[in-house]
Amino acid sequence: MSTSFYHAELSRALSEQAFGLARFDVCRGSSPHEATASVTLLEGRTIRITLTARGYQLDGDQIFESIEGLLQAVSAAYEGRRREALFSRLRSLS
């Protein structure tokens, strides 16, 4: 069985943000209309993220337009790592 768009997109989005996460696992039982992942933040807290046509949903509650926005809202350590990665890329350009 092929993976859904949502499963592939959530996997890609979390892989791109892996620098700021302790770990993540995208659930295989996701439907064609959504995908869910268990994400462990650098602080050690585990959250559940679901991607649907409405956006990225945190633990069945608040919805965000981007994975970056969601992670910035819940993890100060992610924001710090994101900033470090950005500055590192900028330094490599100079």
Side-chain angles (χ1 to χ4, degrees):
M1 182 176 138
S2 65
T3 59
S4 74
F5 164 80
Y6 294 100
H7 184 276
E9 180 63 17
L10 185 56
S11 294
R12 182 200 59 76
L14 290 170
S15 293
E16 288 177 359
Q17 304 306 312
F19 62 85
L21 304 172
R23 70 182 310 243
F24 68 90
D25 294 302
V26 180
C27 303
R28 286 279 173 204
S30 300
S31 82
H33 306 289
E34 69 177 35
T36 301
S38 174
V39 177
T40 304
L41 305 173
L42 294 173
E43 294 90 345
R45 179 175 157 219
T46 299
I47 60 173
R48 190 170 193 82
I49 298 173
T50 301
L51 175 60
T52 67
R54 296 175 59 203
Y56 295 90
Q57 190 168 17
L58 174 62
D59 293 324
D61 191 23
Q62 191 173 1
I63 296 176
F64 295 82
E65 287 186 19
S66 70
I67 193 71
E68 295 90 346
L70 185 153
L71 294 170
Q72 287 172 327
V74 298
S75 175
Y78 165 81
E79 178 57 25
R81 288 274 179 94
R82 183 175 178 270
R83 194 175 318 112
E84 288 172 14
L86 177 60
F87 288 144
S88 176
R89 280 183 255 154
L90 289 173
R91 278 193 295 274
S92 70
L93 295 174
S94 55

